[in-house]
Amino acid sequence: MSAEAADRVAAVGSSRPSTPLQTSWFEFLLDGSLLEKHLQKSNPDPLPVQLIIQFLEQASKPSVNEQNQVQPPADNRRNRTLKLLALKVAAHMKWDLEVLEKGLTIPVLNMLLNELLCVSKVPPGVKHVDLDLSTLPPTTAMAVIIYNRWAIRTIVLSSFPEKQTKPGPHQMNIVLEGALRLKKDFYVHTLRTLDLLAADGAANGETESSTAGLRISTDELHCQVHYDLGGIFFQQGCTDQPAFVKASDHFRQTKELLKKLDLTVHVHLDEERLAGYWNACRALTGNCDPSDSQTSPYDKINSLVRAHNYQAVIEAFIKDNTTRSLPNHFRRSVLREFLYKVQQGETGLDEICHKLCVCNAVRDAVEGEVLSVRFQQLLLKPSKRMVDFILEVCTRSLEKERPCETSRRNMANFLKCGVDFILFMLLMSDTSLLFPVHRFFLHPPTASASVNIGQLEQQLILSLEPRRIRQILFELHGIAERPYWRVNSKWEVPSDYINVILSIKDNLTKDLVYILMAKGLHCISIKDFVHARLLFSACLELVTEFSPKLRQVMLNEILLLEVRAHETMAAEGSKERPPSDLVSRVRGYLEMRIHDLPLRQVVGEECVAFMLNWRENDYLTLQVPPSLVMNNPYIKLGQLLASTCKELPGPKESRRTAKELWDVVVQICSVSIQHKRNSEGRVGLIKHRESSMGILHRYTKPPSPEPLVLTTLISLFVRLHNEFQLTRVWLQRPDVYSPCTHSNPTSSSSSVTNQYSAALNLYLQAGAVCSDFFTKTVPPDVYTDQVLKRMIKCCSMMNCHTQVAVLCQFLREVDYMTAFKALQEQNSHDAMDSFYDYIWDVTILEYLTRILSMVIYSGGTTQNHIIHIKAIGQTELNTSNPEEVLQLAAQKRKKGFLQAMAKLYF
């Protein structure tokens, strides 16, 4: 049965939801017409992007020669056909980078587009920046443009907001700017032209003519290229301010071309993103007039900020509370900009920040949203001037004519709670006014002056509603400043995040972030995913305002939440596969590389386990970037598991993958064993497992695991358990047979010999399980000098003197005296001749030669003695050889001797 067939059979017998059998990749090789028929289906399975992955994976598989050496993929007809099939699928998708980027990872898409460059006859070895696009055939020029468009888009989409180390133009910019100078239509490969390429004699024929392929008009191509160039220049603007002007010009031309085009069949761009880019560029370059009737509300606000007309900004925000034309995220970004100015030392802006904060809080209140922490902090230190401003904003923020009933009710609640609390805080600051405190109870009444803090803390412990948690903390901080995140000792956040959270300067924000995260994690642990989502969402919204690092932390935790929630549903019988968005987010996490970001080990572990459970083997085996595999042990293990599962049962390469998997698992589970005697003289074990052992725990206990993965893991762990357990017993039990504790003067010689033989048997078994029956070197912490000396003692007491001499070489410092004495013994009970070949130490060999020469001289020699005297003449034992050669000779003889001993004593 082929590996693919085995996968399909496993899928049928899986506890996962049963789905119709997919068309296998090799079927497209057997039937040339099958691909077009498959792609014409309304819901093809596998999807086009999945086919591209499968074709390229099979075409890029390394081969293994007869010497078990890995060779690069062969350049044969099969692999060339597979690559061509992948290109034909992309051609069917009209080379839509939007779709290809969503379905393929960067390495796979890079491989695909490199194949496009090859079949399009792009001159090899020539930099794209040195090519003259106007002189290239249409499909060749288009291949260069598509590749460079993708390169720029990848830089933009993969960027994280951090300062570039080497700002400056990319070569891709130059290529695409050259494309804008071409005033002719372009053509890109279709299924038909790719078929022609596969035929003989089509190298310079119809496929490269001006009429072949899919026609892309000049305006369509220029529109797309302007958009992509605008994106890269906008990204460069953070370190090169004039780049914003270039970006603005490209986006302007994109908008103009979009209006000009009646149909945009071959233009694939996000128009909402384009609008956002355009508004941002106008704001950053100052290319807008607030008096212009066509100017957007965004532009007007940005113009006022640049003109330092801050009072007008506040007025605009108050008016917007009724018109609501500015999104909340934009209003918050304006406030953050002012707060940043204050942090940079700009004076006179504190009051502006307070007023903008009030305006935003009233807008939130009218819409029934949660009030920001910053506004609640503002209320803790009220002033009459601030109260007057709050009342003014509230009065002006309701529609003058027929205000909405919901808005009126929300505003009333805001005034009842907020203003009463402000008055309460004012009264608390003047002890002569304490008597009317009872008139200013909050709703609910638990925040009065006489409130019991203990009652509030109890409510804080029990509540799972983010808004209520925020309100309780607000009230507690109004009464007494203390670290309320310590109220419940069972509130725990991962140690990886502690420093980041406790470094938050504002105490109320610190408490809120810590408690929301701790409660969310607790909810996940008891599988209350509904409340966990609410708590994490509230925490994400909070940290987004001030910390990009904590924002990414919360996104990672929300991802882990969704992974666990979906696996729990599967364990409870759900037949739904994970949504594609969740799979994409898991991939994104595994490929994420953000400097100085605290990462929890368990997130990576469960993401890899998730991919394995849902048979995302194509991703793990092909699409993961090589650097990720090298640097992330969880991904490395997941890749090996996926490869083994895909190839079972298979030829040599699958056995090679399985062997590599076994080696990695043994390394992860390696136990450092130190021998330590206790008071009873028994051998104890001190084990030090690697921290990465945790991933194996995750793999053994995922909900409803994928059967083939589970079967593979069971076989691994059964063998591991047996070997580690037996190692532990075998390394403890030899003392049972030690004559120091169990022999006595009345013991018969045979019983003593049996004890030593049994002890040696166990010593040899201990070494065998640690070295795959002595095919590898026995770890030095197993065969320590102490253990080897016991083995020598056992052999000596059984009169196996040649074995003693050989074992003396195993010691860190060869025990020549014991070896020489053993070789002099006449009464040896072992087959002396058969062990001479395992002596590699030249000094011992020379001594043995002298002894045997004396035997020959005295007339007592045998033919076997003469043969073994020649051992010293072996070239690999020549002391003039390099150290590596001598070491290999020693290792070879060590393994051979131990295997011979095992056959003798097992």
Side-chain angles (χ1 to χ4, degrees), residues 173-217:
N173 301 19
I174 300 172
V175 174
L176 295 183
E177 287 169 344
L180 294 176
R181 291 192 288 271
L182 300 179
K183 306 301 180 183
K184 62 180 182 180
D185 292 341
F186 294 82
Y187 292 84
V188 67
H189 279 300
T190 62
L191 274 75
R192 175 173 171 271
T193 60
L194 290 170
D195 274 333
L196 290 171
L197 280 174
D200 293 335
N204 294 297
E206 184 183 1
T207 57
E208 295 178 359
S209 73
S210 59
T211 59
L214 177 67
R215 176 180 171 274
I216 310 293
S217 71

Coordinates of all heavy atoms in Angstrom, one line a residue, residues 173-217:
N173 N 11.4 47.9 -6.1 CA 10.8 49.2 -6.4 C 11.2 49.6 -7.8 O 10.4 50.0 -8.6 CB 11.3 50.3 -5.4 CG 10.9 50.0 -4.0 OD1 10.6 48.9 -3.6 ND2 10.9 51.0 -3.2
I174 N 12.5 49.4 -8.1 CA 13.1 49.9 -9.4 C 12.5 49.1 -10.5 O 12.1 49.6 -11.6 CB 14.6 49.7 -9.4 CG1 15.2 50.6 -8.2 CG2 15.2 50.1 -10.7 CD1 16.7 50.4 -8.0
V175 N 12.3 47.8 -10.3 CA 11.7 46.9 -11.4 C 10.3 47.4 -11.7 O 9.9 47.5 -12.8 CB 11.7 45.4 -10.9 CG1 11.0 44.6 -11.9 CG2 13.2 44.9 -10.8
L176 N 9.5 47.6 -10.6 CA 8.1 47.9 -10.8 C 8.0 49.4 -11.4 O 7.0 49.6 -12.1 CB 7.3 47.8 -9.5 CG 7.2 46.3 -9.0 CD1 6.4 46.3 -7.7 CD2 6.7 45.4 -10.0
E177 N 8.8 50.3 -11.0 CA 8.8 51.6 -11.5 C 9.1 51.5 -13.0 O 8.6 52.3 -13.8 CB 9.8 52.5 -10.8 CG 9.3 52.9 -9.4 CD 10.3 53.6 -8.6 OE1 11.5 53.5 -8.9 OE2 10.0 54.2 -7.5
G178 N 10.0 50.6 -13.4 CA 10.2 50.4 -14.8 C 9.0 49.9 -15.6 O 8.7 50.2 -16.7
A179 N 8.2 49.0 -14.9 CA 7.0 48.5 -15.5 C 6.0 49.6 -15.8 O 5.2 49.6 -16.7 CB 6.3 47.5 -14.6
L180 N 6.0 50.7 -14.9 CA 5.1 51.8 -15.1 C 5.4 52.6 -16.4 O 4.5 53.4 -16.9 CB 5.0 52.7 -13.9 CG 4.5 52.1 -12.6 CD1 4.6 53.0 -11.4 CD2 3.0 51.7 -12.8
R181 N 6.6 52.5 -16.8 CA 7.0 53.3 -18.0 C 6.6 52.6 -19.3 O 6.7 53.1 -20.4 CB 8.5 53.5 -18.0 CG 9.0 54.4 -16.9 CD 10.5 54.9 -17.1 NE 11.4 53.8 -16.8 CZ 11.9 53.5 -15.6 NH1 11.6 54.3 -14.6 NH2 12.7 52.5 -15.5
L182 N 6.2 51.3 -19.2 CA 5.8 50.6 -20.4 C 4.3 50.9 -20.7 O 3.4 50.8 -19.9 CB 5.9 49.0 -20.2 CG 7.3 48.5 -19.8 CD1 7.3 47.0 -19.6 CD2 8.3 48.9 -21.0
K183 N 4.0 51.3 -22.0 CA 2.7 51.7 -22.4 C 2.1 50.6 -23.3 O 1.7 51.0 -24.4 CB 2.8 53.1 -23.0 CG 3.4 54.1 -22.2 CD 2.7 54.3 -20.8 CE 3.4 55.4 -20.0 NZ 2.8 55.6 -18.7
K184 N 2.2 49.4 -23.0 CA 1.6 48.4 -23.8 C 0.9 47.3 -23.0 O 1.1 47.3 -21.7 CB 2.7 47.7 -24.6 CG 3.8 47.0 -23.8 CD 4.9 46.3 -24.6 CE 5.9 45.6 -23.8 NZ 6.9 45.0 -24.6
D185 N 0.1 46.5 -23.6 CA -0.6 45.5 -22.9 C 0.3 44.4 -22.5 O 1.4 44.2 -23.2 CB -1.8 44.9 -23.7 CG -2.9 46.0 -23.8 OD1 -2.9 46.9 -23.0 OD2 -3.7 45.8 -24.8
F186 N 0.0 43.6 -21.5 CA 0.8 42.5 -21.0 C 0.1 41.2 -21.2 O -1.2 41.2 -21.2 CB 1.2 42.7 -19.6 CG 2.1 43.9 -19.4 CD1 1.6 45.2 -19.3 CD2 3.5 43.8 -19.3 CE1 2.4 46.3 -19.1 CE2 4.3 44.8 -19.1 CZ 3.8 46.1 -19.0
Y187 N 0.8 40.1 -21.1 CA 0.2 38.8 -21.2 C 0.8 37.9 -20.2 O 2.1 37.9 -20.0 CB 0.4 38.2 -22.6 CG -0.4 38.9 -23.7 CD1 0.1 40.1 -24.3 CD2 -1.7 38.5 -24.0 CE1 -0.6 40.8 -25.2 CE2 -2.4 39.2 -25.0 CZ -1.8 40.4 -25.6 OH -2.6 41.1 -26.5
V188 N 0.0 37.1 -19.5 CA 0.5 36.2 -18.5 C 0.1 34.7 -18.9 O -0.9 34.5 -19.6 CB -0.1 36.5 -17.1 CG1 -1.6 36.3 -17.1 CG2 0.6 35.8 -16.0
H189 N 0.8 33.8 -18.5 CA 0.6 32.4 -18.8 C -0.8 31.9 -18.4 O -1.3 32.2 -17.3 CB 1.7 31.5 -18.2 CG 2.9 31.5 -19.0 ND1 3.0 31.1 -20.3 CD2 4.2 31.8 -18.6 CE1 4.3 31.2 -20.7 NE2 5.0 31.6 -19.7
T190 N -1.4 31.1 -19.3 CA -2.6 30.4 -19.0 C -2.4 28.9 -19.1 O -1.3 28.4 -19.3 CB -3.7 30.7 -20.1 OG1 -3.2 30.3 -21.4 CG2 -3.9 32.2 -20.1
L191 N -3.4 28.1 -18.8 CA -3.3 26.6 -18.9 C -2.9 26.2 -20.3 O -2.0 25.3 -20.5 CB -4.6 25.9 -18.5 CG -4.9 25.7 -17.0 CD1 -5.2 27.0 -16.3 CD2 -6.0 24.6 -16.9
R192 N -3.4 26.9 -21.3 CA -3.1 26.6 -22.7 C -1.6 26.8 -23.0 O -0.9 26.0 -23.6 CB -3.9 27.4 -23.6 CG -3.6 27.2 -25.1 CD -4.6 27.9 -26.0 NE -4.2 27.9 -27.4 CZ -3.5 28.8 -27.9 NH1 -3.1 29.9 -27.2 NH2 -3.1 28.8 -29.2
T193 N -1.1 28.0 -22.6 CA 0.3 28.3 -22.9 C 1.3 27.4 -22.2 O 2.4 27.1 -22.6 CB 0.6 29.8 -22.6 OG1 0.4 30.1 -21.3 CG2 -0.2 30.7 -23.5
L194 N 0.9 27.1 -21.0 CA 1.7 26.2 -20.2 C 1.7 24.8 -20.8 O 2.7 24.1 -20.8 CB 1.2 26.1 -18.7 CG 1.5 27.4 -17.9 CD1 0.8 27.3 -16.6 CD2 3.0 27.6 -17.7
D195 N 0.6 24.3 -21.4 CA 0.6 23.1 -22.1 C 1.5 23.1 -23.3 O 2.2 22.1 -23.6 CB -0.9 22.8 -22.6 CG -1.7 22.0 -21.5 OD1 -1.0 21.4 -20.6 OD2 -2.9 22.2 -21.5
L196 N 1.5 24.3 -24.0 CA 2.4 24.4 -25.1 C 3.9 24.3 -24.7 O 4.7 23.8 -25.4 CB 2.1 25.7 -25.8 CG 0.8 25.8 -26.6 CD1 0.5 27.2 -27.1 CD2 0.7 24.8 -27.7
L197 N 4.2 24.9 -23.5 CA 5.5 24.8 -23.0 C 6.0 23.4 -22.8 O 7.1 23.0 -23.0 CB 5.7 25.6 -21.7 CG 5.8 27.1 -21.8 CD1 5.7 27.7 -20.4 CD2 7.0 27.5 -22.5
A198 N 5.0 22.5 -22.4 CA 5.4 21.1 -22.1 C 5.6 20.4 -23.4 O 6.3 19.3 -23.4 CB 4.3 20.5 -21.3
A199 N 5.1 20.9 -24.5 CA 5.3 20.2 -25.8 C 6.7 20.5 -26.4 O 7.3 21.5 -26.1 CB 4.2 20.6 -26.8
D200 N 7.2 19.6 -27.2 CA 8.5 19.8 -27.8 C 8.5 21.0 -28.8 O 7.5 21.2 -29.5 CB 9.0 18.6 -28.6 CG 9.2 17.4 -27.6 OD1 9.5 17.7 -26.4 OD2 9.1 16.2 -28.1
G201 N 9.6 21.7 -28.8 CA 9.8 22.8 -29.7 C 9.0 24.1 -29.4 O 8.9 25.0 -30.3
A202 N 8.5 24.2 -28.2 CA 7.8 25.4 -27.8 C 8.6 26.4 -27.1 O 8.0 27.4 -26.6 CB 6.5 25.0 -27.0
A203 N 9.9 26.3 -27.1 CA 10.7 27.1 -26.2 C 10.6 28.6 -26.6 O 10.5 29.5 -25.8 CB 12.2 26.7 -26.3
N204 N 10.6 28.9 -28.0 CA 10.5 30.3 -28.4 C 9.4 30.5 -29.4 O 9.5 31.3 -30.3 CB 11.9 30.7 -29.0 CG 13.0 30.7 -28.0 OD1 13.0 31.4 -27.1 ND2 14.0 29.8 -28.2
G205 N 8.3 29.8 -29.2 CA 7.2 29.8 -30.2 C 6.1 30.7 -29.7 O 6.2 31.7 -29.1
E206 N 4.9 30.1 -29.8 CA 3.7 30.8 -29.6 C 3.5 31.3 -28.1 O 2.9 32.3 -27.9 CB 2.5 29.9 -29.9 CG 1.1 30.7 -29.8 CD 0.0 29.7 -30.1 OE1 0.2 28.6 -30.3 OE2 -1.2 30.2 -30.0
T207 N 4.1 30.6 -27.2 CA 4.0 30.9 -25.8 C 4.5 32.3 -25.4 O 4.2 32.9 -24.4 CB 4.7 29.9 -24.9 OG1 6.0 29.8 -25.3 CG2 4.0 28.5 -25.0
E208 N 5.5 32.8 -26.2 CA 6.1 34.1 -25.9 C 5.7 35.1 -26.9 O 6.2 36.2 -26.9 CB 7.6 33.9 -25.9 CG 8.1 33.0 -24.8 CD 9.6 32.8 -24.8 OE1 10.2 33.4 -25.7 OE2 10.1 32.1 -23.9
S209 N 4.7 34.8 -27.8 CA 4.3 35.8 -28.8 C 3.4 36.8 -28.1 O 2.9 36.6 -27.0 CB 3.6 35.2 -29.9 OG 2.3 34.7 -29.5
S210 N 3.1 37.9 -28.8 CA 2.3 39.0 -28.2 C 0.8 38.6 -28.0 O 0.1 39.3 -27.4 CB 2.4 40.3 -29.0 OG 2.0 40.0 -30.4
T211 N 0.4 37.6 -28.7 CA -1.0 37.2 -28.7 C -1.3 36.1 -27.7 O -2.5 35.7 -27.5 CB -1.5 36.9 -30.1 OG1 -0.8 35.8 -30.6 CG2 -1.4 38.1 -31.0
A212 N -0.3 35.4 -27.2 CA -0.5 34.2 -26.4 C -0.8 34.6 -24.9 O -0.4 35.7 -24.5 CB 0.7 33.3 -26.4
G213 N -1.5 33.8 -24.2 CA -1.7 34.1 -22.8 C -2.9 34.9 -22.5 O -3.6 35.4 -23.4
L214 N -3.1 35.3 -21.2 CA -4.2 36.1 -20.8 C -3.8 37.6 -20.8 O -2.8 38.0 -20.3 CB -4.5 35.7 -19.3 CG -5.6 36.5 -18.6 CD1 -7.0 36.3 -19.3 CD2 -5.6 36.2 -17.1
R215 N -4.6 38.3 -21.5 CA -4.3 39.8 -21.7 C -4.6 40.6 -20.5 O -5.6 40.5 -19.9 CB -5.1 40.3 -22.9 CG -4.9 41.8 -23.2 CD -5.7 42.3 -24.4 NE -5.7 43.7 -24.5 CZ -6.6 44.5 -23.8 NH1 -7.5 44.0 -23.0 NH2 -6.5 45.8 -24.0
I216 N -3.6 41.4 -20.1 CA -3.8 42.3 -19.0 C -3.5 43.7 -19.6 O -2.5 44.0 -20.1 CB -2.7 42.1 -17.9 CG1 -2.7 40.6 -17.5 CG2 -3.0 43.0 -16.7 CD1 -3.9 40.1 -16.8
S217 N -4.5 44.6 -19.5 CA -4.4 45.9 -20.1 C -3.4 46.7 -19.3 O -3.1 46.5 -18.1 CB -5.8 46.6 -20.1 OG -6.1 47.0 -18.8

